[in-house]
Amino acid sequence: MKAFIKAYWKTLLFFTVVGWIGGWVSGLYLLESYPPEMQQEMLAQGMTDTKIALTMAIQSATYGLVLGVAGIWLGRKVGLWKDERHITKKPLLAALVISLIGGLGIILPDLLFFSKYEPALLDTYAVKPTIPYLLATVTYGAVIEEVMMRLFLMSLVAFVLHLLFERKRMEVSTAVLVVANVVSALLFAAGHLPVNEMMYGLTPMIVFRCFLLNGAFGLAFGWLYRKYGLRYAMIAHGGCHVVSKLIWILFL
């Protein structure tokens, strides 16, 4: 364990600190994103912005540390974790291309298709994103969600599948890693359903949109994690948010 901590303490510290920041800024805008009646109920219970931010910061930092440790251990076991110390051009280019496509893929389907069936989607873009929200997308979204869904969950699914179906194989097969990516992408999409329900209601079209868009992004991030390493999945995840929010701020 000492050797593990010595090798990865900087990475774990990064996950923990970014998790704290991401949780804090997420908490600052969370209350105002709820419907008015829910805001009143939470305020009546003494849940101020500061208390919510502190609670989420502790929770997010814990996710970063605990799931970071478990995820690195699992990732090493199944061959997903990469000990690369430097950013290299080819995977960085792949991450940036996915960032651009993903950023457009968040906005354009809403404008060109989904809003025709769910007009409430356009109301989302009528209000410009706040600074805490922007910070949350590139801290909690890009880092902690990737620690949770790719580093930990995808690695865990691959580990379990390998134990169940490939005990005689020394190395985890590509097929198992692909299945693990699909499972984690579907769960990543499902994890966005509560937010969609709160904002729009879970109509069949909203559920389809959630699984189509978030599932596709999850598959892309998982492919980057499997092919090049977690850092590139984080870059692409954050890049998708940056591109989409720039379009939102500048053109909508």
Side-chain angles (χ1 to χ4, degrees):
M1 189 63 180
K2 288 184 178 180
F4 182 91
I5 297 299
K6 183 178 180 180
Y8 298 109
W9 72 269
K10 291 181 181 179
T11 301
L12 295 171
L13 180 62
F14 171 75
F15 293 162
T16 304
V17 171
V18 174
W20 181 277
I21 296 170
W24 182 271
V25 294
S26 295
L28 291 180
Y29 79 83
L30 184 64
L31 184 61
E32 65 186 36
S33 68
Y34 287 139
E37 61 275 11
M38 190 176 294
Q39 291 184 30
Q40 293 300 321
E41 182 179 344
M42 295 183 69
L43 289 171
Q45 296 174 357
M47 294 300 292
T48 63
D49 287 346
T50 301
K51 287 184 179 180
I52 295 173
L54 180 59
T55 300
M56 292 192 65
I58 295 172
Q59 182 184 63
S60 182
T62 302
Y63 288 157
L65 178 59
V66 176
L67 297 184
V69 170
I72 292 173
W73 185 85
L74 288 165
R76 291 174 65 186
K77 288 290 184 180
V78 297
L80 283 171
W81 177 259
K82 308 290 192 298
D83 276 321
E84 184 183 57
R85 298 297 180 183
H86 303 286
I87 297 288
T88 51
K89 291 182 179 180
K90 182 178 178 180
L92 178 60
L93 179 60
L96 294 177
V97 169
I98 290 174
S99 297
L100 180 59
I101 295 173
L104 292 170
I106 294 173
I107 301 290
L108 292 182
D110 282 348
L111 299 180
L112 301 178
F113 178 75
F114 289 112
S115 61
K116 295 179 181 179
Y117 302 93
E118 297 290 344
L121 288 168
L122 294 181
D123 296 337
T124 304
Y125 300 109
V127 180
K128 299 301 182 182
T130 63
I131 291 178
Y133 175 68
L134 293 173
L135 291 174
T137 61
V138 295
T139 51
Y140 187 89
V143 176
I144 299 305
E145 285 187 2
E146 288 305 306
V147 169
M148 295 168 63
M149 304 308 300
R150 251 59 64 181
L151 178 60
F152 174 70
L153 184 61
M154 182 175 165
S155 300
L156 176 63
V157 173
F159 183 76
V160 171
L161 291 176
H162 180 65
L163 287 180
L164 291 175
F165 302 110
E166 297 184 333
R167 289 190 176 186
K168 295 182 180 180
R169 290 178 59 102
M170 291 296 295
E171 296 183 355
V172 180
S173 68
T174 300
V176 161
L177 297 180
V178 170
V179 171
N181 187 17
V182 172
V183 171
S184 63
L186 290 174
L187 292 174
F188 175 67
H192 289 79
L193 287 174
V195 174
N196 280 268
E197 181 180 21
M198 182 182 68
M199 296 179 66
Y200 314 115
L202 289 185
T203 66
M205 185 59 72
I206 290 296
V207 173
F208 172 67
R209 169 184 176 271
C210 183
F211 275 94
L212 177 65
L213 299 183
N214 290 290
F217 300 144
L219 287 174
F221 303 151
W223 176 78
L224 285 170
Y225 173 45
R226 178 172 69 86
K227 186 77 173 178
Y228 300 117
L230 185 69
R231 66 178 64 190
Y232 299 103
M234 291 179 172
I235 291 171
H237 194 151
C240 286
H241 283 301
V242 169
V243 172
S244 65
K245 300 310 179 287
L246 284 175
I247 295 172
W248 183 354
I249 293 170
L250 297 176
F251 302 107
L252 299 182

